């Protein structure tokens, strides 16, 4: 189960984006990636000024000497607090009113009427990654939705209507982040491999994805992916830097 900002929900787990594929993105692009996309011809309406901040999907874990991934609840909670604070500060500096998603009391983490929109977003997110962020070699291997490769044309459709009606909001912002850190044993192994002139796996990878959705049309207006082999979301300063990179080009 992943801790989300303002809610605890099992709706999604990051591994639906293969860590191996994300590492390939870093390998192809270098030690840092920042790739925003925006819908063609989008102009922000003058009276659109209410932003619904959806629960933040975040997880932090550790890579063992054997290369096994283990989620860390305490690290995740600390990272969640840092990212939430940084997001509120970044969005508060823009000309929008930020409305946090209010998680219902009890075992259900999302209102039933909102679940469809979140699940559809997760599916669309996977497809966007495949056709907008994955290396060209990976995209060439998949013929699916070939017409999407040169377009930014994604929507959640009418599934977002309950969110707009319940929160009287114009936009919704979805944020997903993951950070992995190596154990001391993993670090020692990397140093040994470097000494032997072998390939080094840093086991220290940070990824973030954000999407801005127009709640009137359901269309995705903007997305951004950040990926880095540096940083630690447990640290407030570096978490703030990561969030700043994640939303720096958001059209608000």
């Amino acid at each position: 189960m992943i801790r989300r900002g303002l809610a605890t929900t099992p709706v999604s787990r990051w591994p639906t984006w293969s860590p191996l594929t994300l590492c390939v993105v870093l390998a192809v692009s270098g030690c840092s990636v920042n790739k925003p996309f925006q819908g063609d011809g989008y102009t922000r309406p003058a009276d659109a000024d209410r932003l619904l901040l959806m629960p933040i999907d975040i997880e932090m874990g550790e890579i063992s000497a054997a290369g096994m991934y283990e989620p860390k609840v305490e690290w995740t909670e600390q990272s969640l607090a840092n990212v939430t604070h940084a997001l509120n500060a970044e969005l508060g500096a823009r000309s929008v009113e930020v409305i946090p998603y209010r998680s219902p009391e009890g075992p259900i983490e999302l209102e039933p009427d909102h679940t469809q929109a979140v699940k559809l977003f997760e599916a669309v997110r996977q497809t966007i990654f495949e056709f907008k962020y994955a290396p060209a070699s990976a995209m060439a291997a998949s013929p699916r939705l070939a017409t999407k490769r040169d377009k930014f044309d994604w929507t959640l459709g009418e599934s977002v209507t309950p969110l707009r009606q319940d929160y009287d909001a114009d936009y919704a912002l979805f944020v997903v982040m993951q950070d992995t850190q190596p154990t001391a044993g993993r670090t020692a192994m990397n140093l040994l491999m470097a000494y032997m002139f072998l390939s080094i796996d840093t086991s220290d990878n940070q990824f973030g994805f954000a999407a801005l959705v127009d709640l009137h049309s359901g269309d995705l207006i903007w997305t951004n992916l950040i990926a880095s082999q540096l940083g630690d979301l447990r640290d407030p300063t570096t978490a703030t830097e990561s969030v700043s990179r994640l939303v720096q080009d958001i059209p608000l």
Side-chain angles (χ1 to χ4, degrees):
M1 179 176 293
I2 290 180
R3 279 291 213 176
R4 292 192 179 221
L6 312 173
T8 303
T9 174
V11 170
S12 116
R13 293 192 66 81
W14 182 275
T16 51
W17 280 9
S18 164
L20 177 59
T21 303
L22 289 168
C23 287
V24 169
V25 173
L26 277 173
V28 171
S29 305
C31 64
S32 182
V33 177
N34 191 347
K35 292 188 66 174
F37 288 98
Q38 183 171 325
D40 296 335
Y42 171 74
T43 302
R44 177 183 170 185
D47 58 348
D49 58 2
R50 289 171 60 85
L51 172 70
L52 174 62
L53 179 58
M54 296 300 292
I56 303 166
D57 188 340
I58 187 168
E59 182 172 278
M60 186 157 186
E62 188 174 54
I63 302 294
S64 70
M68 300 297 293
Y69 173 77
E70 179 183 356
K72 293 290 187 179
V73 174
E74 291 185 2
W75 291 5
T76 296
E77 291 179 344
Q78 184 178 0
S79 300
L80 172 60
N82 293 336
V83 169
T84 301
H85 178 79
L87 261 178
N88 286 328
E90 284 284 343
L91 297 173
R94 290 168 167 78
S95 56
V96 290
E97 177 185 355
V98 180
I99 308 164
Y101 184 90
R102 297 183 297 273
S103 179
E105 297 294 333
I108 299 177
E109 291 77 18
L110 291 169
E111 291 284 3
D113 289 347
H114 304 160
T115 302
Q116 182 181 359
V118 174
K119 288 184 176 180
L120 183 55
F121 165 72
E122 297 295 343
V124 170
R125 174 169 66 87
Q126 304 303 319
T127 308
I128 290 176
F129 177 77
E130 180 178 352
F131 290 100
K132 303 304 289 187
Y133 294 106
S137 58
M139 290 190 292
S142 175
R144 296 193 315 112
L145 299 177
T147 58
K148 290 286 191 181
R149 293 175 184 170
D150 298 322
K151 296 181 180 179
F152 190 89
D153 180 19
W154 314 91
T155 187
L156 304 184
E158 296 182 356
S159 70
V160 302
T161 299
L163 289 172
R164 185 187 74 246
Q165 293 176 340
D166 291 349
Y167 287 91
D168 189 25
D170 301 298
Y171 306 103
L173 179 64
F174 293 81
V175 174
V176 183
M177 298 192 80
Q178 185 195 46
D179 195 346
T180 59
Q181 297 293 324
T183 62
R186 187 69 174 180
T187 300
M189 179 180 293
N190 287 335
L191 291 174
L192 177 61
M193 292 176 68
Y195 178 77
M196 297 174 65
F197 300 100
L198 299 175
S199 175
I200 301 175
D201 173 14
T202 65
S203 305
D204 178 0
N205 294 314
Q206 183 184 111
F207 303 99
F209 179 83
L212 184 66
V213 178
D214 184 334
L215 291 182
H216 295 279
S217 66
D219 295 344
L220 274 71
I221 299 168
W222 165 93
T223 64
N224 191 24
L225 173 76
I226 62 169
S228 176
Q229 292 176 338
L230 302 174
D232 187 339
L233 293 178
R234 295 171 298 177
D235 178 74
T237 299
T238 57
T240 297
E241 292 171 354
S242 295
V243 169
S244 180
R245 288 177 56 219
L246 184 62
V247 300
Q248 66 182 7
D249 297 310
I250 191 169
L252 291 174

